[in-house]
């Protein structure tokens, strides 16, 4: 009753019943891999909640003070107010340590989920038209997430984070022409300038989170508007969406997932130590921890800095310092490639048609090969960031490990990429369902010329044809729209409910699929029209729904 | 009106109705309405696999034969555990708090809700997959010419007044230029800051605590980090004093060393980390950040790692009281490279 009255109250004032009606029935495709993006979203919520708590205690000041708190080993030590407030938050504020560590774990989960989500989108081709905008927003979200991860762990002003800031300063300094200005404007002067901690604080808790929240909103709105992609399966077409209804099933599972993410991050915050800044000690410009690794999400940049050869360019009295190449150029190229990938791929394949049915990695071996090569390149750089630790493990000299990485980083990714390409073409040719089902011989000697890639379902009539026409106008190679093999038995039924409203359903007895429309319609004609929009290739057969017929 | 799907009644696969859906009082699958006469020939076998079989995923559990009675117990257990953990949390908090217990209990509090919600959904909510047409973007192809015409009609009088538009654009451009000045306030002009340090002729070398260093207190193979007296917070001036064994010829001009002691900038020429490790057997300085290695006896020339330039050497001497002093500032910029760094 209350819900109804509230709904009426709102509808009287701002309207929206129509939207709410279709929103409640909105269909969300369902696959485990689609959850990863949700995990990212929910860990962002955990980050905001725990972060608000932390901001009440953190003091973004580099004023010198002497620690007098509960943690014995640091008592009497000179430190900045920032570092003191973090140590006090950890030891003297009840539940402070849990919140701080939960915040850090949530950040790790957030960035990891964003990365995995990006890989899912990449390898399934979900970035293709019409989703290029959301791909660009997604990559931007990753950039912002990495950046805010860095600003976040730089705030405590401990020895490890201060070393990271110093490297960031040197990288900024290495930018051609404007490097010293950039470094001085960001840091407020020569390192270690006093302005940097308060600036990082404002950036970390306001600027970047606001940008993240805004872009997340647009990201989700676009998913809502364009509807989620789905894998090829029974009843799925380019022209329809199959899945769980928003209300109540999708909503309850998704809210459950939120609580699960919160539970895991908070439990880790209490049980698993992360970033124990009190062990690192306060930042001192002339001290350095050893070994020193950044948080993992920046490990690939650190690895590149470590293994890049001692090259530095000087010409006409000006210098391109060494950190420019691994610290500015390499990340710039990697992210430029990420941003441009949908357009590069469309140009290379000539496929500019809209796609809503996802590829499996095998459907596009070249993309999968490039993806594997790029991913392994970054992962190897990540490992290279631990060259000093690996040297200890393997009783080798740091020089040996570094030289190994210098070679491996260049040689292995193309090999892995090519191998992935071969695996995918073999999977395509043999039709093996899973990678493990694939006999090795089929990889080395592909059985037959690869079968033609299953083409997308026919683009639905009407606007979509004009879309393809528009794509062709843009100079695309004509995309062959192959007729979907019409499964003879599949049919659409339109039926009247006892309440006089109409529904339709899709029935495919061969595949054993029966899908009902998510909404009911006032007239038979509207139901039939919706059915034809969803399945332009399937005939409408008069008769009741099979469920009705059966019971 | 409410089909009451949660009461353990077996479901017809594909039941898309949900509790309280007022629009669909008699949806197929609701026993009350399924008496609807089987119209039509219907060659289709009834309900070959419900929506549960339509694909992988988490939706659709209500059709299981036990009607979710096992799930019901899980739901109660999970929500119960969550409540107990919340209460326990208040106790732990009141007793002074304990991070591990707090984390574990908070985890159970939230995790109980998570498990309870999902089990609840599986036990009672109608599952199954539904289908809707994907109204493919773009929707408004037909309207596009109209939109373009409307925009152009409005833009036409603007376009005709080139001078006025030009003035507007000019004002915007200058506003952009003016906006640079607040940005300029963010930091000092680099100027010559990067070119020099706080070392001056005659300035004593002091330790981090500010105590001056006597030459004779430096044992063979010892390393001390020093700053110019009065400037222990000058990060760019951090310098290593290294006492080499007597049989080693100190690197650099003879006037820059005193009593077998050499002084090198502690700031790595690669990315600015303090070159914190010294291996006395090989006379090598090692940067823990990126593993640049510098041969002290060879003028701190880089022998490994990404660094390209030697650590700059500070000319030092000793004053009449036996304390180490600088002869001058560094003769080249210390630390990482930058665009306008002089050679």
């Amino acid at each position: 009753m209350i819900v109804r009255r509230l709904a009426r109250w709102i509808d009287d004032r701002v309207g929206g019943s129509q939207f709410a009606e279709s929103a409640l029935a909105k269909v969300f495709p369902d696959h485990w891999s689609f959850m990863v993006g949700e995990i990212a979203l929910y860990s962002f919520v955990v980050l905001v909640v725990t972060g608000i708590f932390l901001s009440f205690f953190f003091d973004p000041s580099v004023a010198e003070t002497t620690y007098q708190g509960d943690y014995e080993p640091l008592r009497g030590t000179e430190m900045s107010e920032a570092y003191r407030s973090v140590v006090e938050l950890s030891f003297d504020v009840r539940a402070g340590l849990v919140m701080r560590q939960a915040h850090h774990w949530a950040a790790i989960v957030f960035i990891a989920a964003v990365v995995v989500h990006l890989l899912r989108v990449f390898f399934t081709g979900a970035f293709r038209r019409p989703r290029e905008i959301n791909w660009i927003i997604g990559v931007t979200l990753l950039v912002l997430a990495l950046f805010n991860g860095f600003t976040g762990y730089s705030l405590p002003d401990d020895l490890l984070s201060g070393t990271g800031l110093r490297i960031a300063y040197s990288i900024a300094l290495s930018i051609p022409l404007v490097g010293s200005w950039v470094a001085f404007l960001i840091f407020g002067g020569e390192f270690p300038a006093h302005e940097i901690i308060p600036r990082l604080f404002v950036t970390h808790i306001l600027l970047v989170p606001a940008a993240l929240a805004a872009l997340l909103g647009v990201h989700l709105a676009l998913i809502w508007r364009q509807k989620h992609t789905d894998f090829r399966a029974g009843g799925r077409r380019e022209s329809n969406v199959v899945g769980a209804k928003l209300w109540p099933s999708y909503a309850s599972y998704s809210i459950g997932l939120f609580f699960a993410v919160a539970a895991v991050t908070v439990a880790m915050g209490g049980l698993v130590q992360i970033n124990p800044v009190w062990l690192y000690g306060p930042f001192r410009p002339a001290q350095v921890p050893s070994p020193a690794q950044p948080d993992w999400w920046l490990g690939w940049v650190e690895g590149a800095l470590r293994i890049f050869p001692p090259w530095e360019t000087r010409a006409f009295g000006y210098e391109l310092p060494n950190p420019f190449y691994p610290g500015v150029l390499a990340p710039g190229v990697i992210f430029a490639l990420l941003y441009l990938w949908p357009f590069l791929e469309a140009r290379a394949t000539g496929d500019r048609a809209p796609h809503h049915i996802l590829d499996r990695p095998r459907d596009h071996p070249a993309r999968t090969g490039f993806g594997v090569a790029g991913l392994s390149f970054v992962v190897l750089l990540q490992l290279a960031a631990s060259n000093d630790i690996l040297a200890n493990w393997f009783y080798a000299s740091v020089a040996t490990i570094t030289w190994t990485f210098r070679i491996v980083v260049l040689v292995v990714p193309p090999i892995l990429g090519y191998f992935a390409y071969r695996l995918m073409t073999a999977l395509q040719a043999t039709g093996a369902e899973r990678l493990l089902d694939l006999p090795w011989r089929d990889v080395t000697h592909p059985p037959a010329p690869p079968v033609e890639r299953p083409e997308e379902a026919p683009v639905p009539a009407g606007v979509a044809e004009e879309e393809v026409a528009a794509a062709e106008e843009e100079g695309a190679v004509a995309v062959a729209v192959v007729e979907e093999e019409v499964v003879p038995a599949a049919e659409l039924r339109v039926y009247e409910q006892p309440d006089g409203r109409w529904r339709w359903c899709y029935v495919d007895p061969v595949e054993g699929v029966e899908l009902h429309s998510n909404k009911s319609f006032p007239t038979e004609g509207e139901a039939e029209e919706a059915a034809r929009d969803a399945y332009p290739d399937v005939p409408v057969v008069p008769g009741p729904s099979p469920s009705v017929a059966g019971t | 009106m409410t089909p009451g799907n949660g009461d353990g009644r077996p479901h017809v696969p594909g039941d898309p109705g949900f509790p309280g859906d007022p629009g669909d009082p008699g949806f197929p699958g609701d026993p009350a309405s399924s008496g609807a006469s089987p119209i039509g020939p219907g060659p289709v076998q009834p309900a070959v696999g419900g929506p549960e079989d339509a694909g992988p995923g988490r939706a659709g559990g209500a059709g299981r034969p036990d009607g979710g009675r096992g799930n019901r117990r899980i739901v109660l257990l999970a929500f119960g555990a969550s409540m107990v953990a919340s209460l326990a949390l208040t106790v732990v908090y009141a007793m002074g708090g304990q991070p591990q217990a707090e984390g574990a209990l908070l985890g159970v509090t939230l995790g109980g809700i998570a498990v309870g919600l999902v089990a609840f959904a599986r036990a009672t909510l109608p599952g199954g997959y539904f289908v809707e047409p994907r109204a493919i973007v773009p929707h408004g192809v037909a309207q596009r010419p109209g939109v373009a015409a409307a925009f152009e009609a409005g833009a036409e009088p603007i376009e005709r007044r080139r001078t006025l538009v030009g003035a507007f654009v000019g004002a915007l451009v200058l506003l952009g230029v003016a906006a640079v000045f607040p940005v300029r306030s963010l930091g000092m002009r680099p100027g010559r800051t990067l070119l020099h340090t706080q070392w001056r002729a005659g300035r004593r070398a002091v330790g981090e605590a500010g105590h001056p260093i006597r030459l004779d207190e430096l044992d063979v193979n010892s390393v001390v980090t020093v700053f110019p007296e009065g400037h222990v917070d000058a990060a760019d001036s951090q310098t290593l004093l290294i006492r080499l064994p007597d049989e080693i010829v100190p690197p650099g001009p003879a006037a820059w060393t005193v009593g077998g002691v050499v002084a090198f900038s502690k700031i790595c020429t690669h990315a600015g980390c303090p070159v914190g490790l010294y291996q006395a057997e090989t006379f090598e300085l090692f940067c823990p950040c990126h593993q640049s290695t510098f041969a002290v006896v060879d003028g701190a020339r880089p022998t490994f790692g990404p660094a390209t330039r030697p650590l700059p050497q500070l000319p030092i001497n000793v004053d009449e009281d036996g304390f180490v002093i600088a002869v001058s500032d560094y003769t080249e910029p210390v630390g990482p490279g930058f665009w306008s760094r002089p050679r």
Side-chain angles (χ1 to χ4, degrees):
Chain A
M1 269 323 274
I2 293 174
V3 175
R4 284 195 173 203
R5 284 175 64 180
L6 183 68
R8 193 182 317 144
W9 193 88
I10 294 173
D11 192 49
D12 281 345
R13 282 151 185 82
V14 294
S17 276
Q18 223 176 351
F19 171 77
E21 189 191 6
S22 67
L24 289 176
K26 195 175 171 62
V27 157
F28 284 83
D30 199 3
H31 186 265
W32 64 265
S33 66
F34 302 163
M35 271 199 312
V36 181
E38 288 180 60
I39 293 175
L41 174 68
Y42 293 140
S43 47
F44 181 71
V45 175
V46 175
L47 279 170
V48 171
V49 173
T50 51
I52 289 172
F53 180 87
L54 300 184
S55 70
F56 294 145
F57 296 93
F58 180 67
D59 182 359
S61 156
V62 288
E64 282 288 308
T65 183
T66 309
Y67 180 71
Q68 301 294 356
D70 274 3
Y71 184 61
E72 192 73 39
L74 282 178
R75 208 171 287 164
T77 307
E78 289 278 310
M79 57 180 66
S80 65
E81 290 283 0
Y83 184 73
R84 178 201 55 76
S85 66
V86 175
V87 175
E88 281 192 2
L89 172 64
S90 305
F91 289 103
D92 305 322
V93 176
R94 259 187 244 181
L97 183 62
V98 173
M99 292 302 246
R100 213 194 110 226
Q101 296 193 140
H103 190 72
H104 204 120
W105 279 117
I108 288 172
V109 172
F110 178 55
I111 297 175
V114 171
V115 170
V116 175
H117 177 58
L118 179 134
L119 293 174
R120 196 281 291 171
V121 168
F122 180 88
F123 285 109
T124 59
F127 52 80
R128 292 173 297 174
R129 181 177 181 169
R131 295 187 176 73
E132 304 96 325
I133 301 172
N134 238 11
W135 169 263
I136 289 171
I137 292 173
V139 176
T140 309
L141 285 171
L142 174 62
V143 174
L144 290 174
L146 295 176
F147 180 66
N148 227 31
F150 179 73
T151 56
Y153 81 71
S154 296
L155 284 177
D157 201 29
D158 58 288
L159 188 53
L160 185 60
S161 76
T163 306
L165 276 177
R166 158 171 246 133
I167 296 168
Y169 168 85
S170 302
I171 291 174
L173 204 59
S174 76
I175 298 171
L177 200 61
V178 292
S180 45
W181 270 106
V182 170
F184 274 51
L185 291 183
I186 292 173
F187 283 76
E190 190 177 13
F191 185 86
H194 292 322
E195 280 81 2
I196 188 62
I197 296 288
R199 283 181 189 179
L200 285 174
F201 185 58
V202 172
T203 310
H204 181 77
I205 72 162
L206 176 67
L207 299 180
V208 181
L212 278 170
L215 286 175
L216 267 172
V218 181
H219 202 66
L220 294 174
L222 280 175
I223 291 169
W224 185 281
R225 172 115 174 113
Q226 297 180 324
K227 298 199 171 87
H228 206 284
T229 51
D230 204 350
F231 285 101
R232 188 179 298 282
R236 275 97 168 148
R237 299 283 195 279
E238 291 283 352
S239 50
N240 65 32
V241 198
V242 173
K245 275 196 206 177
L246 174 67
W247 181 254
S249 46
Y250 181 78
S252 46
Y253 286 107
S254 200
I255 295 170
L257 181 63
F258 164 69
F259 280 102
V261 170
V264 169
T265 46
V266 173
M268 303 234 311
L271 298 173
V272 191
Q273 187 183 71
I274 185 82
N275 199 25
V277 290
W278 54 90
L279 298 181
Y280 306 147
F283 176 65
R284 296 259 185 279
Q287 287 176 10
V288 61
S290 177
Q293 266 75 26
D295 265 24
W296 67 267
W297 55 78
L298 286 176
W300 56 286
V301 181
E302 170 79 3
L305 282 165
R306 287 182 182 213
I307 64 172
F308 195 76
W311 298 339
E312 159 163 302
T313 321
R314 255 196 103 81
F316 310 111
Y318 295 103
E319 182 172 291
L320 259 184
N322 178 288
F324 170 74
Y325 301 101
V328 181
L329 193 61
V333 168
I334 288 174
F335 274 100
L337 281 176
L338 271 178
Y339 272 115
L340 292 176
W341 184 266
F343 310 102
L344 297 175
E345 187 187 292
R347 174 170 290 229
T349 60
D351 178 1
R352 288 182 165 85
H355 293 279
H356 304 287
I357 295 290
L358 295 171
D359 279 337
R360 296 178 79 188
R362 70 182 64 177
D363 294 337
H364 203 312
R367 177 201 298 144
T368 306
F370 275 114
V372 167
L375 178 63
S376 55
F377 179 68
V378 174
V379 168
L380 285 168
L381 286 181
Q382 184 84 29
L383 291 175
S386 301
N387 59 353
D388 47 350
I389 295 173
L390 291 173
N392 261 343
W393 282 3
F394 292 113
Y395 302 102
S397 77
V398 174
T400 313
I401 299 285
T402 303
W403 267 108
T404 309
F405 271 115
R406 281 175 182 168
I407 296 162
V408 160
V409 154
L410 295 179
V411 172
V412 169
I415 295 175
L416 284 180
Y418 180 68
F419 185 62
Y421 174 84
R422 287 295 295 269
L423 280 181
M424 293 305 125
T425 37
L427 276 175
Q428 214 181 62
T430 58
E433 190 48 35
R434 292 178 309 158
L435 201 55
L436 293 177
D437 301 339
L438 187 69
W440 178 249
R441 195 164 34 80
D442 287 347
V443 181
T444 50
H445 302 87
V451 289
E452 196 154 316
R453 195 172 135 218
E455 259 308 333
E456 310 304 340
V459 183
V463 280
E465 272 165 22
E466 298 184 54
E467 240 199 317
V468 173
E472 281 163 10
E473 267 173 32
E474 285 160 24
V477 180
V479 184
V481 179
V482 177
E483 282 293 315
E484 175 96 353
E485 302 165 44
V486 178
V487 184
E491 59 189 37
L492 297 169
R493 298 284 185 83
V494 179
Y495 57 91
E496 190 178 6
Q497 296 176 177
D499 65 341
R501 288 176 69 86
W502 292 77
R503 261 181 212 263
W504 59 275
C505 82
Y506 164 89
V507 187
D508 181 350
V510 176
E511 285 201 53
V513 176
E514 179 191 318
L515 294 163
H516 291 258
S517 65
N518 66 328
K519 310 178 202 181
S520 60
F521 300 85
T523 66
E524 182 178 11
E526 284 171 67
E528 190 175 327
E529 194 187 341
R532 287 189 196 281
D533 281 349
Y535 292 97
D537 56 321
V538 179
V540 180
V541 173
S545 110
S547 295
V548 176
T551 36
Chain B
M1 189 168 80
T2 304
N5 285 341
D7 56 10
R9 168 180 60 80
H11 281 251
V12 177
D15 176 4
F18 51 82
D21 183 347
D24 304 329
F27 197 75
D30 185 355
S33 68
S34 55
S37 57
I39 326 158
V44 173
Q45 286 304 302
V48 189
E52 285 93 327
D53 305 327
R58 52 191 164 167
R64 64 196 64 243
D66 74 341
R69 200 161 291 135
N71 271 326
R72 200 185 127 83
R73 206 170 305 134
I74 297 175
V75 176
L76 288 177
L77 265 176
F79 285 139
S82 173
M83 288 188 262
V84 171
S86 285
L87 294 176
L89 195 63
T90 44
V91 175
V92 169
Y93 188 85
M95 288 169 64
Q98 205 279 337
Q100 282 80 10
E102 285 162 4
L105 288 171
L106 260 176
V108 174
T109 302
L110 294 160
I113 295 177
V115 172
L117 261 181
V118 171
F120 183 48
R122 291 187 75 86
T124 66
L125 295 182
Y129 288 156
F130 298 85
V131 59
E132 66 175 327
R134 185 189 291 278
I136 291 180
V137 188
H139 294 283
V141 178
Q143 286 98 311
R144 282 179 194 174
V147 173
F151 179 80
E152 280 156 16
E156 195 269 335
I158 300 174
E159 278 170 3
R160 268 189 289 126
R161 290 168 181 80
R162 301 248 157 144
T163 323
L164 302 185
V165 173
F168 174 57
V169 172
L172 286 185
V173 168
L174 285 183
L175 174 66
V177 173
V180 171
F181 293 106
V183 173
R184 170 66 185 79
S185 301
L186 287 175
M188 56 189 284
R189 186 179 131 92
R192 300 181 53 78
T193 322
L194 291 169
L195 303 183
H196 60 76
T197 70
Q198 295 300 328
W199 289 104
R200 299 287 180 277
R203 233 170 231 178
R204 278 181 181 165
V206 299
E208 268 189 284
H211 54 282
I213 306 289
R214 292 184 66 87
L215 183 66
D216 50 25
E217 67 187 76
L218 295 171
D219 299 327
V220 166
N221 285 334
S222 67
V223 186
V224 188
T225 302
V226 294
F227 293 87
E229 189 164 28
H231 298 275
V232 285
D233 54 352
D236 64 347
S237 306
Q238 52 183 294
T239 297
L240 290 169
L241 294 183
I242 303 170
R243 170 76 157 90
L244 294 169
D246 294 334
E247 66 273 16
I248 301 287
V249 180
W256 287 17
T257 64
V258 58
V261 175
V262 288
F264 288 103
S265 166
K266 196 182 177 181
I267 305 177
C268 185
T269 55
H270 171 234
C273 288
V275 183
L277 305 173
Y278 181 59
Q279 191 161 29
E281 303 90 78
T282 54
F283 311 110
E284 276 180 331
L285 282 164
F286 186 79
C287 177
C289 286
H290 306 108
Q291 290 79 46
S292 290
T293 312
F294 301 90
V296 170
V297 290
D298 198 5
R301 188 177 57 82
T303 55
F304 186 76
T308 52
R309 284 174 286 114
L311 299 170
Q313 186 172 357
L314 181 72
I316 51 165
N317 209 328
V318 68
D319 65 11
E320 57 265 32
D321 300 323
F323 292 110
V324 178
I325 55 166
V327 173
S328 72
D329 193 0
Y330 284 99
T331 58
E332 56 183 311
V334 299
F338 51 98
W339 178 252
S340 57
R341 191 183 67 83
R343 188 178 282 277

